[in-house]
Amino acid sequence: MSSGYLTAANLFINKILVNGVIYHSAQNSDFYDREYFRVKFFTAISDITVSNSQAGLKVFKTSPKKAVCIYNGIDLKRFDNLKSAKDVEQDILKGPKGDRYIATMVAAFANRKDYDTMIDAAVKMCSTNKKAVFLLIGDGENKPRIMQKVPAEMLNKQIYFLGLRDDIESILQISDVGLLISAPCEGLSNSIIEYMASGRPVIATEGGGTGELVRNGENGFLIENKNSGEIIKKLEILMNDPHLAAMMGENGSKWVRENLDVKK
């Protein structure tokens, strides 16, 4: 709607119109058909179109002469003056973390995020590995249905639904790996950027702009869509190889600080 109002106003003031309407990279999906044509319309009548991923520009076939990719930035001051890890452990786990291995996913419980595959992997892994813990942060219409898929003995013991939180940076201190399991339509995921800024390796679904952040085998793993077995496999690799996990986390942190500092 903001693009529509601005376009109408520009008929009278005739300024250069810069439009940031591309924020994802959905392709070949009925769910996005209407939005696809809206984006195509507004990019056609804008002087410049900004996308937060190269994938978005490619999907919407935006003219290189009228388009620019500007990645999302992150304010690294957000990671200063955090809650202590012990306080976070007490708040969420009700005690010390110990030897538990924590995987965290920050995402809305919406159709564009594949929580079904995520929770299938979590339940399978937790049933055979008592050290495995999953923190699922976010809210949305699919949350009640996803919660019903978790056995009662795992809920709030190995699989936690934390809802909306304003202390993500503090929670990531006790996390070992960041997850983003989604439909292959991401632009540039802020969640992944937060994981990397926290020095955590990433496991994410390939597709969209995710590959512009996650270098497979360098700062995390890219996995196939709807593959719960691959999620478990990659988690076990990182769990059993702390050196590899630390190297990936360091690579991600360095890249974010060099390329995505909001000051740039």
Side-chain angles (χ1 to χ4, degrees), residues 11 32 44 75 77 124 148 182 186 194 251 258:
L11 295 174
Y32 282 100
D75 184 358
K77 291 182 180 179
K124 289 177 184 176
Q148 290 179 358
S182 62
E186 294 286 341
E194 290 166 352
N251 289 341
E258 291 176 351

Side-chain angles (χ1 to χ4, degrees), residues 130 150-158:
K130 299 307 178 183
V150 179
E153 64 271 17
M154 294 181 186
L155 193 61
N156 295 324
K157 295 181 179 65
Q158 285 183 278

Side-chain angles (χ1 to χ4, degrees), residues 74-92:
I74 186 166
D75 184 358
L76 295 171
K77 291 182 180 179
R78 289 169 46 192
F79 297 86
D80 297 335
N81 303 315
L82 302 178
K83 297 178 184 177
S84 72
K86 287 184 178 180
D87 286 344
V88 177
E89 291 171 0
Q90 185 61 41
D91 175 34
I92 296 174

Side-chain angles (χ1 to χ4, degrees), residues 123-138:
V123 170
K124 289 177 184 176
M125 188 168 185
C126 288
S127 65
T128 59
N129 189 332
K130 299 307 178 183
K131 294 181 181 180
V133 172
F134 291 81
L135 306 182
L136 308 180
I137 304 175

Side-chain angles (χ1 to χ4, degrees), residues 1-10 17-21 42:
M1 290 301 296
S2 57
S3 297
Y5 287 133
L6 190 58
T7 300
N10 202 41
L17 181 58
V18 181
N19 200 326
V21 73
F42 285 117

Side-chain angles (χ1 to χ4, degrees), residues 155-208:
L155 193 61
N156 295 324
K157 295 181 179 65
Q158 285 183 278
I159 300 176
Y160 296 77
F161 292 81
L162 302 184
L164 297 176
R165 302 282 299 217
D166 59 5
D167 57 349
I168 302 298
E169 300 86 357
S170 294
I171 293 173
L172 289 175
Q173 292 180 108
I174 69 168
S175 302
D176 295 288
V177 58
L179 304 171
L180 188 70
I181 312 304
S182 62
C185 64
E186 294 286 341
L188 210 75
S189 166
N190 285 313
S191 294
I192 292 178
I193 295 172
E194 290 166 352
Y195 304 153
M196 292 169 65
S198 297
R200 301 298 179 263
V202 179
I203 298 174
T205 311
E206 62 187 2

Side-chain angles (χ1 to χ4, degrees), residues 22 24-25 51 53-60 186-187 207-210 212:
I22 300 178
H24 60 72
S25 59
S51 171
S53 69
Q54 295 289 351
L57 295 177
K58 182 178 180 180
V59 163
F60 290 103
E186 294 286 341
T210 299
E212 296 169 49

